[in-house]
């Protein structure tokens, strides 16, 4: 995609105060045939850092306009010192088209999928070619007729009951190394189809009941940001105001399936977001929807 390549490196210094140049070099591509010569590296950016005795500093670069393909690069502290061998760091990056994501939503799909698609691939990013994801939206009824192999992930937004063979196709798709996310909402009633053996191959646990917390005192309560789902939150310099984002209804689940991890609980300790490994892939179950319109 046209998203910028962002690189951060920590520079440490031992000795009297000094000023050094940190340079970023990139080659346009790497050889794709044995014996093919490597293209020359080009200097793409430079930072000047001033460090005192025992100090460190984070140096950041952002490179725009990389073509699709494999690129190799180098970040180098210019000049000689007592330990030149650690003044270089190499990296390789693959630039590829936006990941395709399939959004499966009840009708009307445009309304039901608007919030998640807008968050995953904002309009301004799509128009400028910088969106990391390319979203297709279909109805729950169309899912059984849609091939999944071209998609990196499938998201079920408040899905209606699915046939057993559809659940099985999703389980096979996840096991092959893809991602499936299931956001449970009002359409999970009646619970029978969601508690079937086929559905439980994917879901994090059996649906027990739809809980109501209309007092507005229930919200997501993540304990840490170590899980990849929450990694972006680790970059925030201020706390997320979770208490200002109440959850009024959610699904209580039975004992979690083997290997399932609670990524985010609610404030009452019941699970909100669960991650279940399945074969080479993963299935995320969210016990409250992301598709409902704000209303009374």
């Amino acid at each position: 995609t046209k998203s910028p390549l962002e690189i951060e490196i920590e520079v440490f210094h031992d000795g009297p105060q000094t000023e050094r140049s940190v340079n970023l070099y990139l080659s346009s591509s790497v050889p794709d045939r044995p014996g093919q010569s490597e293209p020359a590296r080009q200097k793409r950016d430079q930072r000047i850092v001033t460090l005192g005795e025992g100090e460190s500093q984070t140096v950041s670069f952002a490179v725009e306009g990389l073509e699709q393909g494999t690129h190799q690069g180098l970040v180098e502290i210019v000049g000689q010192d007592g330990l030149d061998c650690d003044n270089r760091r190499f990296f390789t990056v693959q630039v590829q088209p936006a990941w395709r994501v399939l959004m499966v939503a009840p009708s009307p799909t445009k309304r039901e999928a608007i919030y998640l698609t807008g968050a995953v691939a904002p309009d301004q990013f799509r128009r400028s070619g910088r969106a990391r994801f390319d979203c297709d939206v279909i109805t729950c009824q169309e899912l059984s007729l849609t091939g999944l192999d071209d998609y990196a992930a499938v998201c079920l937004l408040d899905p209606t009951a699915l046939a057993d063979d559809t659940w099985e196709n999703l389980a096979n798709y996840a096991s092959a190394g893809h991602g499936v996310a299931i956001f449970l909402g009002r359409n999970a009633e009646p619970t029978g189809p969601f508690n079937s053996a086929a559905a439980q191959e994917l879901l994090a646990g059996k649906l027990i009941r739809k809980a109501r917390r209309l007092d507005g005192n229930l919200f997501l309560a993540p304990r840490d940001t170590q899980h990849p789902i929450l990694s972006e939150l680790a970059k925030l310099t201020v706390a997320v105001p979770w208490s200002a984002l109440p959850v009024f209804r959610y699904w209580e689940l039975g004992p979690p399936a083997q290997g399932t991890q609670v990524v985010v609980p609610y404030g009452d300790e019941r699970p909100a977001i669960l991650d279940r490994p399945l074969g080479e892939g993963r299935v995320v179950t969210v016990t409250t929807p992301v598709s409902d319109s704000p209303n009374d």
Side-chain angles (χ1 to χ4, degrees), residues 171-182:
N172 292 334
Y173 166 81
S175 296
H178 301 97
V180 175
I182 305 168

Side-chain angles (χ1 to χ4, degrees), residues 49-70:
V49 297
T50 301
L51 295 170
E53 172 71 36
E55 289 184 348
S56 66
Q57 184 174 328
T58 300
V59 181
S60 301
F61 299 94
V63 182
E64 303 269 2
L66 291 180
E67 298 295 329
Q68 290 185 23
T70 305

Side-chain angles (χ1 to χ4, degrees), residues 180-264:
V180 175
I182 305 168
F183 299 84
L184 298 171
R186 62 171 55 84
N187 288 318
E189 289 184 306
T191 59
F194 292 84
N195 289 337
S196 68
Q200 287 299 308
E201 287 295 315
L202 281 161
L203 289 165
K206 288 191 173 183
L207 281 62
I208 303 301
R209 71 183 184 96
K210 187 167 62 178
R212 296 160 56 92
R213 282 294 301 270
L214 303 185
D215 57 9
N217 291 326
L218 185 74
F219 43 85
L220 300 180
R223 301 290 185 261
D224 58 56
T225 56
Q226 298 302 308
H227 193 279
I229 288 177
L230 301 175
S231 61
E232 291 297 318
L233 297 180
K235 302 176 183 179
L236 300 179
T237 56
V238 295
V240 178
W242 297 111
S243 60
L245 307 168
V247 173
F248 298 104
R249 292 177 175 85
Y250 66 98
W251 280 98
E252 290 185 13
L253 301 183
Q258 184 175 3
T260 298
Q261 174 187 358
V262 177
V263 179
V264 178

